[in-house]
Amino acid sequence: MFKALLVNKTDDAGYHCKLSELDEAQLPASGDVTVRVEWSTINYKDGLAITGKAPVVRSFPLVPGIDFAGVVTASDHPKWKAGDRVVLNGFGVGESHWGGLSQMARVKGDWLVALPDALSAREAMAIGTAGYTAMLCVMALQRHWDAAGVKPGSGEVLVTGAGGGVGGVAIALLAAMGHTVVASTGRLEESDYLKGLGATEVMDRAGLSAAGKPLQKERWIGVVDSVGSHTLANACASTRYGGAVAACGLAQGMDFPSSVAPFILRGVTLYGIDSVMAPLEKRQAAWQRLATDLDRGKLGAITKEVGLAEALTAAPDILAGKVRGRLVVNVNS
């Protein structure tokens, strides 16, 4: 028997999520690797799944949790054996396949990545899908800059949604590379925290979140955007000639009220960053970079720990933008 959060939808009780005790026989038969989960997280998508605020859960009953880190206990997959340390992000886990907010998981071995030796399971989930996504954004920008001959310190890099998990890790990574980082947030009271991560300036998100001109004063050599909508449009409009924007989120909205002007008049490149179905090679590269490039001290500053039951009450807070950084879940607490 093991404990897990379980989402269900019934005629009498409607949509609900509760802490449940389950039998290992209930784990999905479609998986070929069984994992003893040590740590998980609560991401924005998990908040939607737990509360039912959006239809991210596609089958019932289902264990939410889009990522986890743990140890293989049994495997029918040729790559994995009992005792292997693994991490998982995406592939519909926590949406259409039972996820990581649980003490046990059974998944497809092709979805797993070996946990780098330098990272503990807790550190991996302090990074989580948010930090892994931030690394994919930074890797895309770095490839762009390397091709263009852009050096660290040659201009400002904007990070939107800076108070969230993606934003916090992106700031830390970019600052460590020597870039001048400007953090955009709706919580200016967090300025000291963001500067502690490496931001040199903190700006009010209000300056980006309303409708703006198709072309604006050139400022950014690069942007990491987890917000979308007008924020992404304004970021593109103010990116310097030949610069790049890595878009990975839609906290403000899925719309993109922009024009082609930044792309055809300034040669701006917009990179779409998908963390859910990214190929294995890219995943492995991102996790290896995170293991070597991310300051563990700064990782600790953006992390708060909760237990499995506490995830139920934390979910509404992450949707309301009340959570700073990352929430790691000790599934055995």
Side-chain angles (χ1 to χ4, degrees):
M1 303 297 290
F2 64 93
K3 293 180 179 179
L5 297 188
L6 190 68
V7 174
N8 213 339
K9 187 177 183 180
T10 59
D11 292 338
D12 56 339
Y15 189 104
H16 60 279
C17 181
K18 65 178 182 179
L19 182 62
S20 304
E21 191 165 286
L22 306 174
D23 191 286
E24 193 169 329
Q26 293 176 263
L27 289 170
S30 58
D32 53 11
V33 179
T34 303
V35 179
R36 175 172 52 81
V37 178
E38 295 179 330
W39 293 87
S40 186
T41 69
I42 308 174
N43 297 279
Y44 192 85
K45 191 177 289 185
D46 300 321
L48 295 174
I50 291 169
T51 62
K53 295 294 185 181
V56 298
V57 175
R58 301 191 179 101
S59 64
F60 299 93
L62 183 130
V63 173
I66 64 172
D67 50 14
F68 64 76
V71 178
V72 173
T73 60
S75 173
D76 292 322
H77 191 283
K79 184 177 178 180
W80 306 108
K81 64 182 186 303
D84 287 341
R85 300 168 67 244
V86 294
V87 61
L88 182 143
N89 309 92
F91 290 111
V93 170
E95 300 174 75
S96 55
H97 188 97
W98 282 27
L101 287 169
S102 169
Q103 294 174 329
M104 298 293 295
R106 184 174 292 137
V107 297
K108 294 183 179 180
D110 291 342
W111 299 344
L112 296 169
V113 173
L115 186 59
D117 292 339
L119 289 175
S120 68
R122 188 187 187 281
E123 287 171 333
M125 286 298 97
I127 295 168
T129 292
Y132 152 69
T133 303
M135 187 76 250
L136 292 176
C137 291
V138 170
M139 288 166 61
L141 292 179
Q142 186 173 17
R143 287 192 299 271
H144 184 93
W145 289 329
D146 288 347
V150 175
K151 304 297 183 183
S154 61
E156 295 175 308
V157 183
L158 173 67
V159 175
T160 69
V166 173
V169 175
I171 291 168
L173 289 168
L174 289 163
M177 293 166 62
H179 289 286
T180 302
V181 183
V182 177
S184 168
T185 181
R187 293 176 281 171
L188 292 179
E189 66 274 13
E190 301 283 12
S191 293
D192 289 343
Y193 157 72
L194 295 172
K195 289 180 179 178
L197 293 178
T200 57
E201 180 184 337
V202 179
M203 63 180 289
D204 192 331
R205 70 182 180 195
L208 294 168
S209 59
K213 296 178 180 179
L215 280 179
Q216 299 169 28
K217 182 179 179 181
E218 297 179 63
R219 183 170 182 182
W220 322 114
I221 61 167
V223 178
V224 174
D225 176 68
S226 60
V227 178
S229 192
H230 289 293
T231 298
L232 176 58
N234 287 319
C236 291
S238 51
T239 295
R240 284 165 45 174
Y241 189 94
V245 178
C248 66
L250 42 70
Q252 186 180 5
M254 191 179 289
D255 59 320
F256 182 42
S258 184
S259 77
V260 298
F263 312 111
I264 65 173
L265 297 180
R266 290 184 180 164
V268 171
T269 299
L270 176 59
Y271 292 99
I273 305 300
D274 167 54
S275 63
V276 176
M277 302 302 293
L280 179 61
E281 295 77 11
K282 189 175 288 188
R283 291 170 180 272
Q284 291 172 326
W287 278 105
Q288 288 299 329
R289 285 281 304 274
L290 286 161
T292 58
D293 295 6
L294 185 59
D295 185 326
R296 306 298 169 76
K298 291 181 179 178
L299 182 61
I302 68 173
T303 304
K304 177 183 177 183
E305 181 179 323
V306 298
L308 194 54
E310 294 173 285
L312 293 169
T313 54
D317 289 339
I318 200 166
L319 297 183
K322 297 178 180 179
V323 174
R324 170 207 280 184
R326 304 279 299 125
L327 287 176
V328 295
V329 180
N330 182 349
V331 299
N332 296 302
S333 172

